[in-house]
Amino acid sequence: MTLAAGTELATATNEHLANISNTLIYSAMAVYTLAFFAYIAEWLFGSRSRVGRTAAALTPEAKAAAKRPAVTVQQAGGTAVLERPTVVVRSAAGARDVPDGPGAHGGDAQGDLYGRIAVSLTVLAFLVQLSGVIARAASVERAPWGNMYEFNITFSTVAVAVYLTLLALKKNVRWLGLFLITTVLLDLGIAVTVLYTASDQLVPALHSYWLYIHVSTAILCGAVFYVGAVGTVLYLFKDSYETKLENGGKPGTFATSVMERLPASSSLDKFSYRVNAAVFPLWTFTIIAGAIWAESAWGRYWGWDPKETWAFITWVAYACYLHARATAGWKGRKAAYLALIAFGCWLFNYYGVNIFVSGKHSYAGV
Amino acid sequence: MSTPSKTRSGATPERPDEDLGAAGSQLSTAPKEELPNLPSLGVIGWARWFWRQLTSMRVALLLLLLVSLGAIPGSLIPQSGIDETKVADFRKTHTFVAPIYDRLGLFHVYSSVWFSSIYILLFVSLIGCIIPRTWQFVGQLRGRPPGAPKRLTRLPAYTTWRTETEPEQVREAALKLLKKRRFRAHLAGDAVAAEKGYLREIGNLAFHIALIVMLTAFAWGQLFKSEGNKLVVEGDGFSNTLISYDDFKSGNLFSSDDLVPFSFTLNKFTGTYEATGPNRGTPRIYQAAITYTKGAYGKDQKTLVKVNEPLTIGDSKVYLTAHGYAPVITVRDGKGKVVYNDAVAMLPLDSNVTSTGVVKVLDGYRNAKGVTEQLGVSAFFLPTYTKGNETASTFPALENPVLNLTPYHGDLGIDSGIPQSVYQLDKSHVKEFKDAKGAQLRENLEPGETMKLPNGAGSITYTGTKQWANFQVVQQPGTDWALGAALTAIFGLAASLFIQRRRVWVRATQGPDGVTVVEMAGLGRSESAKLPEELGDLAGILYDQTPGAPESDATDRTGTTDRTGSTTRTSSTDQDPTTPEPEAVPAEGAET
Ligand code: HEM
């Protein structure tokens, strides 16, 4: 409520801060570009090492061995008593027992070095971009999502934040880097060229603290769904690759070089499932927060406005995906396609509905 | 070392595994997937078959897909429930497809027969799915976790050790430990059986039930909904009765007795606008100060109604939806007698509030000759008049107001019985006034200025300007239910997705050499790294209470395996050529 009250005073736009913000965003793009090249270098150097783990695991002899309890996981308890019981883990029946690839650097020391440089540059670019977003917010004295330009720069900041958070939590996600940064550059490119809007104030319907909740969680959900979608796409590629190997096929050298360094298809699948499942409740909340806001702004909590409709469609599509994973015959690739369709719905809701369909959710100057 | 066992793909969630017996069953209440075995004969057979199909996961999935697909056209084609004029425009420009769309109900997708059938089927399916699942779950809660399967080594997570402690003591310790960890645990034969994570199932059921409640609340709200509009000029009042409204819509089951009794007076409307920049003219402050009374004899209360902050009175909500200007106009007849003095609400034509309206003087006016006549004045109002831009206002605030008046006299046709809009003038029986040059009389007035009607026919004065606000009064019962259900759905969903339901068994038996062999195994609904972690943790604690005994010669008690195929204890006992691989791991699920 204080936020709304604060913005209610028609504050003069601070041109100076807006210019600083623009400079910061352009600088962030420059640093992301450097990071992009560092990731490329990581993949290039990584290609020198020949890893054939997936192939090896899928040979007939290896498969026979894999039938037995697969991996010994961990030592239980502390080290006080020497001989502690060890837990033996079996993988699911019918699951391929394929080890994860080593990552883009492929075990190559120089590749790894470039990978680390790339991550450092990503952190730097993220900080610069974050400052850009904050400067933008300060220049308009409100949250930075009053129009599509602001939405775009905030969205990619959050997507990178999700990636860096996963890295900080020691999750094995460095393989995401190149794919993520490529699209972040694309997103920022579109933002500064097509979508740029000079700073301005919000229309009165956008003055609500539910808006802050609704839009911030929408952006976060989009960023996380996005990370999940990248995982899903890679899963589909890796799964085809594994299937081909299993059936005795011989994938091309480029495909082999890239795929061997990615995690196993089952790991990628699990990664995207976890990511999607983790934000699905938040997405549900986002829609509800939107309904509460709509109720206070327009007198109805649900009115099938195009934006609402597409949020609903996205929600149902993700529910389909979660159901599919619990339905025999729909697991694996089919569920993955559903996840991609669901993310497609999210993207359409953002770009398509804003640009092609008119509704109550109008942004100032697109 | 390969086993001849065949792995069936698409493991079904519920089929008890031959190897695990009851142990692997009922880890969830998801419906069994049945093969489409067609019923042999009879109506009942068919009905049962149909019902089974409808309540299967596969059909639920299909219906969900259909709902999302079906919602798409409504977002792309104009909808009559949202914007009637857009639909009319569409009909005009798309003469070929419009009739087809009409046939398919595409102008009102969300109330069309086909869309309703999809979601009603989905909700029937949902209810048909929930009821048996709830019963099954209640049964599981009243029963006990199933006993240990014969071969614990077959489970996804397994560990074993030997100890000098007596088997009973081990089991007792295990029971205590598991109970302390909030497992539901009991002793079954030579093993302790335990289960945890029921909240997942509760969450899942709560989520699906909440969906039903939410839809019911929404439908209820639509049926009993009412929505009306009232334009109120500053100083005027409104009381919530059907006849007070300018327009009114309601759901099929609404009755006028349902209207919440209240009344209010608009004291003042305040609007300020962005003065510069690309959004010049965009409203900033936009609020109505009102005094309202609940019920017939309530006491007066003052409040502000803003765009995002409606006034709530019982089930009713009062929203501020539009605003405009109402110039105060005084009309005098030839003798100087005031025959009209009122604020006339003008309707805005654009975002700078260029407005139009009509003044109608119906009785009391006599012309210069003393004959009774009616006066009609068509008016244009510009809150900000700028030289060189005479036909439209250039800013929405009252910066330099100008009222342009064109008076007529004669018969306004009010008494003909045909309903008339207060904003339109029927010019069929009226005559223009002429100015000195013989042209039609038409004048721009600033506040306080007066225009004289020719030949002593009287005068019209623009006295000042009031503002008006449009209020939308909405009553939609069931909103609280919808909100409560929505919140329940979120928590249910979170529990369902983040909690893992799993079982743990601890078996303690006397080995042939008199030493106790402890075996522990865990089974979850899905493959998760958390399960072995938890098992390891439990095993560690239990191990401290029942310390290891010296190795008996041939046994490698950890049961590790290497990939070259050398035989270890686990793998050798495990590879029983006659039993198929277990299918203990059904669906993916609760993992964070
Ligand atoms: C209104 C439509 C529905 C929606 C939006 C919906 C949504 C969901 C969601 C989001 C989940 C994921 C939670 C989880 O995995 O535990 C789920 C799970 C589940 N749903 Fe639905 N559902 C709907 C209808 C149905 C119907 C009709 C059935 C019965 C056939 C059903 C049965 C299940 C079951 C058994 C699970 C648990 C799956 C598991 O254990 O992993 N749902 N549902």
Side-chain angles (χ1 to χ4, degrees):
Chain A
M1 268 167 286
T2 44
L3 285 172
T7 47
E8 221 146 62
L9 302 166
T11 37
T13 304
N14 191 329
E15 293 284 339
H16 186 56
L17 271 173
N19 288 338
I20 290 178
S21 164
N22 291 350
T23 310
L24 284 169
I25 296 294
Y26 277 103
S27 313
M29 285 176 74
V31 185
Y32 277 128
T33 310
L34 290 179
F36 172 79
F37 285 121
Y39 282 117
I40 293 273
E42 182 188 14
W43 279 94
L44 281 179
F45 281 108
S47 70
R48 292 195 300 206
S49 70
R50 286 262 160 268
V51 271
R53 302 211 218 174
T54 313
L58 290 170
T59 55
E61 312 91 73
K63 260 157 74 186
K67 280 271 148 63
R68 283 180 278 102
V71 210
T72 301
V73 174
Q74 57 147 9
Q75 209 69 30
T79 46
V81 185
L82 260 179
E83 304 247 345
R84 277 289 181 93
T86 310
V87 174
V88 179
V89 175
R90 288 168 72 93
S91 53
R96 286 190 198 117
D97 195 22
V98 175
D100 288 341
H105 54 77
D108 181 89
Q110 214 165 346
D112 186 44
L113 178 67
Y114 276 105
R116 284 167 196 280
I117 291 173
V119 172
S120 316
L121 286 171
T122 310
V123 172
L124 178 64
F126 166 73
L127 292 175
V128 176
Q129 191 188 4
L130 183 65
S131 328
V133 171
I134 292 172
R136 174 82 182 192
S139 83
V140 289
E141 299 187 24
R142 61 167 164 73
W145 47 61
N147 50 49
M148 274 180 83
Y149 168 73
E150 293 172 3
F151 199 94
N152 258 38
I153 60 173
T154 311
F155 174 72
S156 49
T157 311
V158 176
V160 175
V162 170
Y163 168 62
L164 293 177
T165 308
L166 287 174
L167 276 180
L169 292 173
K170 301 259 187 300
K171 304 277 182 209
N172 167 24
V173 290
R174 211 165 96 189
W175 46 269
L176 259 173
L178 179 60
F179 308 99
L180 186 74
I181 297 310
T182 310
T183 42
V184 164
L185 277 172
L186 200 70
D187 170 270
L188 285 175
I190 294 173
V192 297
T193 52
V194 186
L195 302 172
Y196 185 77
T197 322
S199 323
D200 51 46
Q201 296 293 319
L202 290 179
V203 297
L206 297 181
H207 284 311
S208 162
Y209 59 98
W210 280 107
L211 170 82
Y212 289 84
I213 297 168
H214 171 68
V215 182
S216 60
T217 54
I219 292 175
L220 180 57
C221 286
V224 179
F225 279 143
Y226 172 61
V227 169
V230 174
T232 308
V233 170
L234 294 178
Y235 157 75
L236 286 171
F237 280 116
K238 183 76 188 240
D239 183 61
S240 311
Y241 172 76
E242 286 176 9
T243 310
K244 194 163 185 180
L245 279 178
E246 210 170 23
N247 296 336
K250 256 203 135 5
T253 36
F254 178 71
T256 308
S257 169
V258 173
M259 290 301 155
E260 283 294 335
R261 286 181 272 160
L262 286 178
S265 69
S266 62
S267 307
L268 287 170
D269 186 38
K270 220 177 272 181
F271 169 77
S272 39
Y273 167 74
R274 283 181 197 176
V275 163
N276 285 330
V279 288
F280 186 72
L282 189 66
W283 180 240
T284 312
F285 171 76
T286 301
I287 296 177
I288 292 166
I292 294 174
W293 173 39
E295 210 253 352
S296 65
W298 302 321
R300 85 285 186 294
Y301 57 88
W302 196 264
W304 297 106
D305 180 78
K307 201 97 186 169
E308 292 169 8
T309 306
W310 277 93
F312 171 76
I313 293 170
T314 308
W315 184 76
V316 174
Y318 274 108
C320 269
Y321 163 70
L322 293 178
H323 266 213
R325 296 188 64 100
T327 308
W330 276 84
K331 279 171 230 175
R333 297 187 71 89
K334 278 191 203 164
Y337 290 129
L338 282 178
L340 289 185
I341 291 173
F343 184 67
C345 292
W346 193 91
L347 273 187
F348 183 78
N349 196 13
Y350 173 42
Y351 285 105
V353 174
N354 277 14
I355 295 168
F356 304 120
V357 188
S358 68
K360 285 198 166 194
H361 284 75
S362 56
Y363 289 110
V366 176
Chain B
M1 280 306 300
S2 80
T3 41
S5 67
K6 202 171 122 279
T7 314
R8 269 164 294 170
S9 58
T12 57
E14 270 303 301
R15 190 183 311 142
D17 181 73
E18 292 94 318
D19 232 15
L20 299 172
S25 75
Q26 297 203 324
L27 245 178
S28 97
T29 56
K32 293 174 198 156
E33 280 307 314
E34 295 187 27
L35 293 171
N37 57 333
L38 291 174
S40 45
L41 270 180
V43 179
I44 296 181
W46 274 104
R48 279 181 65 166
W49 176 80
F50 180 75
W51 180 250
R52 288 237 180 90
Q53 291 301 308
L54 186 63
T55 56
S56 72
M57 287 293 275
R58 210 177 285 270
V59 172
L61 185 60
L62 210 73
L63 289 169
L64 273 171
L65 268 177
L66 281 176
V67 167
S68 53
L69 278 180
I72 294 177
S75 70
L76 306 176
I77 299 168
Q79 297 291 295
S80 52
I82 299 173
D83 196 339
E84 195 76 66
T85 50
K86 251 195 209 156
V87 175
D89 286 350
F90 187 90
R91 283 213 168 93
K92 249 181 251 154
T93 47
H94 300 78
T95 43
F96 178 69
V97 290
I100 303 174
Y101 283 9
D102 257 330
R103 200 58 81 69
L104 297 173
L106 289 179
F107 292 120
H108 58 102
V109 168
Y110 307 110
S111 54
S112 69
V113 175
W114 57 270
F115 190 74
S116 313
S117 351
I118 299 173
Y119 75 74
I120 290 173
L121 269 181
L122 178 60
F123 274 82
V124 172
S125 163
L126 185 52
I127 293 168
C129 175
I130 293 224
I131 294 172
R133 285 182 60 200
T134 309
W135 278 123
Q136 206 182 334
F137 184 61
V138 169
Q140 288 171 22
L141 282 183
R142 293 170 67 190
R144 294 173 137 184
K150 258 207 309 274
R151 248 175 301 218
L152 289 178
T153 48
R154 288 209 163 271
L155 293 172
Y158 173 80
T159 187
T160 182
W161 68 94
R162 290 152 46 83
T163 176
E164 305 280 7
T165 320
E166 288 301 305
E168 293 85 60
Q169 276 168 314
V170 176
R171 290 195 286 261
E172 220 161 90
L175 193 63
K176 223 170 108 189
L177 170 66
L178 286 165
K179 282 197 166 153
K180 205 171 126 203
R181 289 294 185 96
R182 312 196 43 192
F183 276 80
R184 280 181 76 211
H186 69 111
L187 200 63
D190 58 359
V192 174
E195 185 169 356
K196 194 176 171 176
Y198 293 89
L199 209 56
R200 175 204 173 87
E201 210 69 28
I202 295 174
N204 190 279
L205 290 172
F207 168 72
H208 286 90
I209 292 169
L211 289 183
I212 297 175
V213 175
M214 206 149 67
L215 184 88
T216 313
F218 184 65
W220 184 268
Q222 294 295 332
L223 287 173
F224 288 95
K225 183 179 172 128
S226 74
E227 186 186 305
N229 278 291
K230 177 66 187 172
L231 185 153
V232 185
V233 178
E234 281 170 343
D236 288 355
F238 165 82
S239 79
N240 193 22
T241 54
L242 216 47
I243 50 158
S244 313
Y245 284 102
D246 298 334
D247 66 73
F248 191 81
K249 291 197 284 217
S250 61
N252 292 335
L253 298 181
F254 172 84
S255 91
S256 56
D257 301 339
D258 297 338
L259 283 178
V260 177
F262 68 86
S263 58
F264 66 82
T265 306
L266 173 64
N267 304 325
K268 185 172 167 49
F269 177 88
T270 312
T272 66
Y273 306 86
E274 182 85 46
T276 53
N279 280 334
R280 187 179 133 84
T282 310
R284 293 299 166 231
I285 294 175
Y286 198 81
Q287 64 192 30
I290 66 170
T291 304
Y292 69 99
T293 319
K294 285 185 197 172
Y297 310 103
K299 68 171 192 293
D300 285 355
Q301 284 165 281
K302 280 189 192 306
T303 189
L304 285 178
V305 181
K306 300 183 192 176
V307 170
N308 274 311
E309 293 163 36
L311 166 68
T312 306
I313 301 171
D315 260 352
S316 267
K317 286 197 169 162
V318 181
Y319 295 86
L320 172 64
T321 55
H323 124 278
Y325 295 100
V328 182
I329 292 172
T330 310
V331 181
R332 292 189 171 81
D333 68 6
K335 291 192 180 119
K337 189 182 121 201
V338 173
V339 292
Y340 183 94
N341 183 22
D342 208 353
V344 183
M346 306 267 156
L347 294 188
L349 298 173
D350 59 25
S351 57
N352 282 329
V353 207
T354 308
S355 314
T356 165
V358 171
V359 186
K360 293 181 182 179
V361 182
L362 301 179
D363 347 272
Y365 173 76
R366 285 164 195 273
N367 65 13
K369 295 181 189 118
V371 180
T372 304
E373 255 189 331
Q374 291 181 330
L375 279 186
V377 186
S378 85
F380 265 97
F381 180 73
L382 279 62
T384 300
Y385 173 90
T386 319
K387 264 256 142 41
N389 201 351
E390 278 85 6
T391 52
S393 167
T394 52
F395 195 69
L398 271 186
E399 305 262 278
N400 180 24
V402 163
L403 184 65
N404 177 284
L405 297 176
T406 314
Y408 298 85
H409 62 105
D411 176 11
L412 294 180
I414 298 292
D415 311 321
S416 64
I418 302 164
Q420 271 194 347
S421 162
V422 292
Y423 302 107
Q424 268 164 9
L425 194 61
D426 176 7
K427 292 186 193 143
S428 46
H429 304 286
V430 290
K431 281 194 290 239
E432 304 166 351
F433 286 100
K434 304 280 183 202
D435 64 12
K437 290 182 200 130
Q440 179 174 11
L441 180 69
R442 188 186 178 107
E443 231 173 89
N444 278 347
L445 299 183
E446 285 180 23
E449 289 186 343
T450 299
M451 81 189 277
K452 283 227 155 25
L453 296 177
N455 309 323
S459 67
I460 305 173
T461 308
Y462 169 24
T463 322
T465 320
K466 287 188 177 178
Q467 306 200 53
W468 57 258
N470 191 73
F471 293 96
Q472 185 182 31
V473 181
V474 180
Q475 213 170 306
Q476 184 173 14
T479 305
D480 295 342
W481 280 90
L483 183 62
L487 294 178
T488 312
I490 292 179
F491 287 109
L493 198 55
S496 172
L497 288 169
F498 301 149
I499 294 170
Q500 159 94 299
R501 189 164 166 199
R502 66 270 190 199
R503 289 176 183 156
V504 167
W505 292 277
V506 184
R507 172 172 282 141
T509 46
Q510 196 107 57
D513 54 357
V515 176
T516 306
V517 177
V518 183
E519 285 181 295
M520 277 181 84
L523 174 65
R525 238 171 50 82
S526 61
E527 204 177 342
S528 153
K530 291 256 164 69
L531 183 74
E533 253 169 55
E534 185 179 44
L535 192 77
D537 192 26
L538 288 168
I541 298 172
L542 198 59
Y543 183 81
D544 287 342
Q545 296 169 5
T546 62
E551 201 68 28
S552 81
D553 21 67
T555 320
D556 168 9
R557 74 162 108 100
T558 55
T560 44
T561 307
D562 61 26
R563 286 189 180 282
T564 55
S566 71
T567 312
T568 62
R569 179 186 159 275
T570 323
S571 53
S572 60
T573 51
D574 207 26
Q575 301 308 303
D576 182 342
T578 57
T579 42
E581 287 283 297
E583 293 171 7
V585 183
E588 183 70 66
E591 293 152 285
T592 18

